[in-house]
């Protein structure tokens, strides 16, 4: 129902834009240096070759390795420990207003000459929250009872997620502000797209690797089956 409703809203609004929005008739001369796909890619390669850009790309590609497991696996592990998926989904609702307000608040601190300072300051706190998430997973079976989980456990989870969102958005807004600041205005779109793409890759590949490593790094014990370690999927099935 949710997807159907917003799908209908999307179709209606885009159709209205198509019929009602009038284009400017006056031709505005292009400010960007590139005019075609070939020129754009040539320009991208020349940007990537710059030593400062190479160093920066290396940093943002590896900066999120430290909290990739906490970000990608915590929710799945909480479900594995018995926390209902629908309860976790409901806990995401209070995060929505926070996610709207945070960029507005953080942008005040990233508007200065050194936007990456916010990025650096938020990183150790986000790493510590990874330990907090590990504690939440460990704590889940300890407080679980027949009726589910106590209210105070959910309160701690919500607070932890809220703090996590603050550190996440501090880093996200800071890196976006830095990319906007260093991009050459003449080729702003091309420059920013490159840096933002690398930044997104830096967040996605560590999460993928973390999810892939969950099974090999998980220690399992088999109850009532001697000689089986449950280390592989076949052994677990047996």
């Amino acid at each position: 129902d949710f997807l159907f409703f917003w799908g209908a809203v999307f179709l209606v609004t885009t159709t209205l834009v198509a019929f009602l929005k009038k284009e400017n008739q006056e031709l505005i001369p292009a400010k960007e240096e590139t005019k075609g796909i070939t020129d754009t890619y040539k320009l991208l390669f020349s940007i990537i070759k710059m030593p400062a850009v190479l160093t920066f790309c290396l940093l943002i590609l590896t900066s999120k390795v430290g909290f990739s497991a906490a970000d990608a696996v915590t929710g799945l592990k909480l479900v594995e420990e018995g926390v209902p998926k629908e309860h976790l989904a409901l806990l995401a609702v209070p995060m929505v207003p926070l996610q709207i307000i945070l960029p507005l608040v953080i942008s005040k601190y990233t508007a200065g000459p050194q936007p990456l300072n916010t990025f650096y300051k938020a990183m150790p706190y986000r790493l510590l929250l990874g330990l907090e998430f590990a504690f939440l997973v460990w704590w889940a079976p300890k407080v679980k009872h027949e009726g589910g989980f106590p209210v105070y456990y959910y309160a701690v989870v919500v607070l932890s997620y809220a703090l996590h969102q603050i550190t996440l958005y501090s880093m996200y807004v800071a890196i976006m502000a830095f990319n906007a600041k260093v991009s050459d205005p003449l080729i702003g779109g091309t420059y920013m797209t490159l840096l933002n793409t690398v930044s997104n890759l830096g967040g996605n590949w560590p999460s993928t690797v973390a999810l892939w490593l969950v099974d090999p790094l998980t220690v399992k014990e088999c109850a009532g089956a001697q000689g089986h370690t449950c280390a592989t999927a076949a052994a677990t099935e047996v």
Side-chain angles (χ1 to χ4, degrees), residues 214-222 227-237:
V214 168
D215 256 5
L217 294 177
T218 300
V219 178
K220 301 174 185 175
E221 292 179 7
C222 288
H228 287 284
T229 59
C230 289
T232 62
T236 306
E237 189 66 28

Side-chain angles (χ1 to χ4, degrees), residues 148-230:
F149 290 84
V151 176
Y152 64 82
Y153 180 77
Y154 287 118
V156 174
V157 171
V158 169
L159 181 63
S160 302
Y161 269 96
L163 292 171
H164 177 260
Q165 289 297 311
I166 293 169
T167 58
L168 187 151
Y169 273 86
S170 295
M171 294 179 71
Y172 176 76
V173 174
I175 208 82
M176 290 297 126
F178 180 79
N179 290 348
K181 196 173 187 65
V182 299
S183 297
D184 187 337
L186 281 174
I187 48 169
T190 308
Y191 214 124
M192 276 197 70
T193 302
L194 170 67
L195 295 179
N196 290 343
T197 302
V198 175
S199 181
N200 289 332
L201 279 173
N204 289 332
W205 80 260
S207 297
T208 305
V209 172
L211 286 167
W212 180 74
L213 287 172
V214 168
D215 256 5
L217 294 177
T218 300
V219 178
K220 301 174 185 175
E221 292 179 7
C222 288
Q226 292 183 351
H228 287 284
T229 59
C230 289

Side-chain angles (χ1 to χ4, degrees), residues 15-209:
T15 306
L16 288 172
V17 168
F19 284 109
L20 302 179
K21 179 74 177 80
K22 302 298 180 188
E23 297 291 344
N24 286 332
Q25 297 303 317
E26 295 177 15
L27 292 173
I28 301 167
K31 291 181 181 179
E32 292 204 0
E33 289 180 353
T34 56
K35 292 183 179 179
I37 294 173
T38 309
D39 289 340
T40 304
Y41 277 101
K42 283 179 182 177
L43 189 61
L44 276 174
F45 283 119
S46 65
I47 294 168
I48 291 169
K49 287 176 187 176
M50 294 163 64
V53 174
L54 272 175
T55 306
F56 179 63
C57 287
L58 184 65
L59 286 171
I60 57 178
L61 277 171
T62 55
S63 63
K64 296 176 183 176
V65 171
F67 25 78
S68 57
D71 289 4
V73 186
T74 302
L76 299 172
K77 282 293 175 185
L78 286 175
V79 171
E80 195 178 277
E81 293 296 346
V83 179
K85 280 184 277 190
E86 55 270 25
H87 289 185
L88 277 180
L90 280 173
L91 295 180
V93 175
M95 298 300 116
V96 175
L98 189 67
Q99 289 166 352
I100 295 169
I101 295 164
L102 278 173
L104 297 171
V105 175
I106 296 162
S107 60
K108 293 177 183 177
Y109 300 97
T110 57
Q114 295 178 313
L116 280 184
N117 281 351
T118 308
F119 183 94
Y120 300 143
K121 287 173 183 175
M123 183 174 274
Y125 295 105
R126 194 169 170 188
L127 287 168
L128 286 171
L129 281 167
L131 295 175
E132 162 73 4
F133 284 175
F135 168 75
L136 287 176
V137 174
W138 173 84
W139 193 30
K142 312 285 183 187
V143 295
K144 188 180 179 182
H145 51 74
E146 288 183 8
F149 290 84
V151 176
Y152 64 82
Y153 180 77
Y154 287 118
V156 174
V157 171
V158 169
L159 181 63
S160 302
Y161 269 96
L163 292 171
H164 177 260
Q165 289 297 311
I166 293 169
T167 58
L168 187 151
Y169 273 86
S170 295
M171 294 179 71
Y172 176 76
V173 174
I175 208 82
M176 290 297 126
F178 180 79
N179 290 348
K181 196 173 187 65
V182 299
S183 297
D184 187 337
L186 281 174
I187 48 169
T190 308
Y191 214 124
M192 276 197 70
T193 302
L194 170 67
L195 295 179
N196 290 343
T197 302
V198 175
S199 181
N200 289 332
L201 279 173
N204 289 332
W205 80 260
S207 297
T208 305
V209 172

